[in-house]
Amino acid sequence: MPANEMKVYGGIKLYSGTASPELAQKVADYLGEKLCGRDIVEFPNENLFVKLHTSVRGQDVYVIQHTAAPVHRNLMELLILLQTLRLDSAARITAVIPYLCYGRSDKKDQPRVPISSRLVADMIQVAGADRYVTLDPHAYQIQGFFSIPGDLLNSSLILNNYVKQNLRLTLKDPVVVTVDLGYAKKGRDFAASIDAPIAFIEKRRSSNDAKAQALTVIGDVKDRDVILVDDEIDTGGSIVQAVNLVKESGAQRVYISFVHAIFSANAAKNLGALPVTEFITTDSIPIPPEKRRLLGGRLTVLSVAPLLGEVIRRAHEGRSVGEMFNE
Ligand code: R5P
């Protein structure tokens, strides 16, 4: 930072909740910082207690915590951490949430239902966050639920680059296929980045049933290598049907690229049984060893730590984040 620019905040202080310790450590390593000490205790009655080891008064604080399973424990822990930092007079607090829960509950699309994503946004702000950072939310319009500024980062670029640099030359007539029409724009960007055509799967869900129904593939996959792309794999229902559908339609090798490995229920087991050459994902949510084993050497996990670290560095120095994406 030029000497004549006024520094508004103190140093960077990085905290990790219990959900994202490995990712938080990688972010700290990227920044050349240490994670700050804190105690997080769960009492027998499941109430949580947080204590910071050192003062954060006047500091620029970042809390890294995903809110995938156990969702409510991780969310509550994040909220209590934010409030603790607020009460200790941090100058600015940023919630860095690699995976933000309740993203799919973003509208009142039937009578007598909540908009839980809005509720989560309200809670994060009320707890004390001045800013938030998240990766590939299910729908970008959730930013309208926050009245604080946020960086909604596109980490699918990390996946695109991997395919471009490591697989593109070995792929035979590749086509990028989005698992549903909601991912069409990101799918188009992916296809353009590797100079491949695009196809789409039309998928319908029935009411609140978590089991999705894949219906038709729009586009040409016959005799081509297919890269199926999506934002997340939760139960795996959508992707299992998508793989079966493209295979029935004559696809050759199948690759799957997705940002968030939620892997609920038997997702990893079901994925492991699929005729898929490679599963490419990120570490936005840690994948437990027993689930990794089910996918064996076919699983590639790319780290989002450099992306988060660079955004934190730029936010701290008051520099553009958009520049990182040529915006
Ligand atoms: C849905 O619209 C998303 O893009 C994913 O396709 C969905 O969340 C995956 O869920 P599941 O793995 O449970 O089918």
Side-chain angles (χ1 to χ4, degrees), residues 28 138 140 145 208 300 307:
H138 182 63
Y140 278 73
F145 295 161
N208 302 318
T300 299
L307 172 64

Side-chain angles (χ1 to χ4, degrees), residues 53-220:
H53 290 183
T54 51
S55 168
V56 292
R57 187 181 295 273
Q59 305 298 300
D60 189 19
V61 184
Y62 297 81
V63 186
I64 302 169
Q65 170 90 331
H66 77 70
T67 54
V71 175
H72 302 122
R73 152 82 201 217
N74 289 341
L75 176 62
M76 198 62 206
E77 194 182 291
L78 171 66
L79 297 173
I80 295 175
L81 273 163
L82 293 170
Q83 194 214 35
T84 309
L85 295 161
R86 171 62 61 221
L87 294 177
D88 198 49
S89 304
R92 183 173 71 166
I93 303 167
T94 302
V96 181
I97 312 169
Y99 177 78
L100 185 59
C101 60
Y102 285 98
R104 283 195 258 169
S105 178
D106 62 349
K107 56 187 155 312
K108 201 165 180 299
D109 55 0
Q110 49 184 302
R112 302 177 295 281
V113 297
I115 305 177
S116 308
S117 182
R118 165 65 195 261
L119 177 62
V120 169
D122 284 346
M123 289 194 294
I124 290 167
Q125 294 167 111
V126 168
D130 299 298
R131 301 178 60 255
Y132 68 101
V133 174
T134 193
L135 300 173
D136 299 77
H138 182 63
Y140 278 73
Q141 53 267 34
I142 61 138
Q143 61 195 285
F145 295 161
F146 288 87
S147 49
I148 54 175
D151 294 305
L152 291 87
L153 306 173
N154 182 3
S155 57
S156 55
L157 293 176
I158 296 170
L159 302 166
N160 301 11
N161 283 338
Y162 172 84
V163 172
K164 192 170 168 183
Q165 288 161 15
N166 298 281
L167 301 179
R168 180 64 181 90
L169 290 177
T170 65
L171 296 173
K172 178 177 166 281
D173 296 330
V175 55
V176 171
V177 181
T178 68
V179 172
D180 59 37
L181 295 173
Y183 210 63
K185 183 170 181 314
K186 284 249 180 106
R188 276 188 200 289
D189 294 344
F190 199 134
S193 74
I194 62 165
D195 194 22
I198 175 95
F200 310 95
I201 289 176
E202 189 212 10
K203 179 180 83 174
R204 280 182 209 154
R205 282 187 189 276
S206 53
S207 66
N208 302 318
D209 189 347
K211 287 187 183 158
Q213 174 99 40
L215 295 178
T216 42
V217 54
I218 304 168
D220 184 16

Side-chain angles (χ1 to χ4, degrees), residues 254-299:
V254 178
Y255 297 78
I256 302 178
S257 167
F258 56 104
V259 177
H260 303 298
I262 302 176
F263 288 179
S264 306
N266 286 328
K269 186 169 170 235
N270 295 339
L271 292 181
L274 290 174
V276 167
T277 303
E278 188 170 350
F279 301 91
I280 307 153
T281 188
T282 76
D283 59 356
S284 66
I285 301 169
I287 306 174
E290 65 277 11
K291 293 190 178 176
R292 281 178 179 254
R293 273 196 291 276
L294 290 165
L295 301 180
R298 294 184 290 161
L299 177 67

Side-chain angles (χ1 to χ4, degrees), residues 104 138 179-180 203 205 210 230-238:
R104 283 195 258 169
H138 182 63
V179 172
D180 59 37
K203 179 180 83 174
R205 282 187 189 276
D230 207 350
D231 56 342
E232 63 183 40
I233 293 185
D234 182 2
T235 63
S238 307

